[in-house]
């Protein structure tokens, strides 16, 4: 099992550009999450999903969109990149809301 | 907005010392988790506590969930350099599916 995989590992964007951060899990987990982590800080929830076709906003959803067409994939879309979106993005999955979250290795995004 | 505040923010200690990290909130949590994160990696789960007053031990680490399920502590006995990392608490409130993460405690254990 690969667990949770994220691509790309690093990306530099110009202001106003768009991109999609990919996240795939092979553990058949229903719950998936996107977080951002600013330097030296904890994680802030952007969006989450409790199953295919169901998504909901977290603490900091502005500027982002998600979709969940399959159990395995949970891509995060940035439409108009802004410097405030410079961060490390982590995707996670879990079998329920009370169980362990398994995290991907993260995507380091810089917006200049 | 729910907040989970951790203290201290930073801690630098010598190998062999003991330490306690605190995680506090005004919200009641159904369960609370502690994670450790190393540079360049995602967080890894250490423990989950679900019952008020619960105490769990993981080798030299002792975790406690407050009686009112609003706070938690992590105690490390005889810290080692391998304990160095960012410690994060995360709570789930009843009826929700989303975790709220704490502000983090960055621990450095010097040999």
């Amino acid at each position: 099992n690969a667990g949770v995989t994220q691509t790309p590992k690093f990306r530099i964007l110009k202001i106003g550009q768009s991109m999609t951060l990919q996240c795939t899990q092979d553990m058949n987990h229903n719950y998936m999450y996107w977080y951002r982590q600013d330097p030296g800080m904890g994680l802030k929830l952007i969006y989450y999903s409790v199953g295919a076709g169901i998504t909901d906003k977290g603490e900091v959803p502005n500027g982002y969109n998600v979709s969940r067409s399959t159990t395995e994939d949970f891509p995060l879309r940035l439409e108009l990149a802004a410097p405030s979106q410079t961060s490390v993005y982590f995707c996670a999955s879990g079998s329920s809301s009370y169980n362990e979250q398994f995290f991907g290795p993260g995507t380091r995004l810089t917006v200049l | 907005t729910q907040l989970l505040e951790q203290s201290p923010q930073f801690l630098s200690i010598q190998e062999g010392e003991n330490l306690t990290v605190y995680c506090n909130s005004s919200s009641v949590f159904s369960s609370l988790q502690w994670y450790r994160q190393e540079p360049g990696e995602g967080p890894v789960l250490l423990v989950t506590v679900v019952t008020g007053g619960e105490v769990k031990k993981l080798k030299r680490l002792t975790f406690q969930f407050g009686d009112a399920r609003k706070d938690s502590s992590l105690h490390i006995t005889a810290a080692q350099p391998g304990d160095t990392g960012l410690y994060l608490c995360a709570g789930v409130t009843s009826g929700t599916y989303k975790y709220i993460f704490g502000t983090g405690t960055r621990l450095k254990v010097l040999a």
Side-chain angles (χ1 to χ4, degrees):
Chain A
N1 284 352
V4 179
T5 57
Q6 292 182 240
T7 57
K9 289 191 187 310
F10 304 93
R11 185 72 186 269
I12 298 175
L13 283 181
K14 293 183 179 178
I15 294 172
Q17 286 186 318
S18 301
M19 79 164 293
T20 299
L21 282 67
Q22 302 291 346
C23 175
T24 301
Q25 54 94 7
D26 62 0
M27 296 173 281
N28 202 33
H29 287 163
N30 284 325
Y31 293 73
M32 294 189 75
Y33 306 85
W34 272 107
Y35 296 92
R36 61 176 286 173
Q37 185 176 35
D38 297 331
M41 304 294 287
L43 282 75
K44 290 194 183 297
L45 182 65
I46 305 171
Y47 270 95
Y48 67 102
S49 169
V50 301
I54 306 170
T55 62
D56 207 349
K57 296 178 180 178
E59 298 175 79
V60 290
N62 291 344
Y64 307 95
N65 276 301
V66 293
S67 59
R68 186 95 182 271
S69 56
T70 66
T71 299
E72 295 78 20
D73 300 306
F74 191 40
L76 177 72
R77 178 88 179 155
L78 282 72
E79 290 295 348
L80 290 169
S84 61
Q85 294 177 305
T86 293
S87 192
V88 180
Y89 291 83
F90 288 101
C91 178
S93 73
S95 57
S96 79
S97 63
Y98 295 94
N99 287 350
E100 176 178 4
Q101 290 183 88
F102 294 85
F103 284 82
T107 294
R108 187 176 295 275
L109 176 67
T110 302
V111 182
L112 301 174
Chain B
T1 303
Q2 296 170 323
L3 284 175
L4 263 176
E5 295 194 8
Q6 288 184 236
S7 61
Q9 267 191 295
F10 302 96
L11 194 53
S12 181
I13 61 172
Q14 293 293 325
E15 182 177 3
E17 293 184 1
N18 301 333
L19 67 115
T20 302
V21 175
Y22 299 93
C23 175
N24 295 296
S25 176
S26 57
S27 299
V28 176
F29 294 102
S30 299
S31 70
L32 193 138
Q33 299 180 334
W34 284 93
Y35 289 81
R36 187 172 83 195
Q37 184 181 20
E38 305 208 11
E41 298 181 8
V44 175
L45 181 71
L46 295 173
V47 78
T48 301
V49 286
V50 297
T51 305
E54 182 177 2
V55 176
K56 280 193 174 179
K57 293 195 173 184
L58 184 67
K59 296 184 181 178
R60 295 176 293 100
L61 278 61
T62 302
F63 305 86
Q64 184 160 9
F65 201 12
D67 291 340
R69 291 184 288 136
K70 293 182 178 182
D71 55 85
S72 181
S73 64
L74 157 60
H75 182 79
I76 301 179
T77 303
Q80 298 178 0
D83 295 326
T84 293
L86 178 66
Y87 288 81
L88 297 162
C89 61
V92 177
T93 53
S94 179
T96 73
Y97 305 103
K98 49 188 181 181
Y99 290 84
I100 302 296
F101 272 81
T103 47
T105 294
R106 191 166 297 278
L107 171 66
K108 186 167 186 177
V109 182
L110 304 168

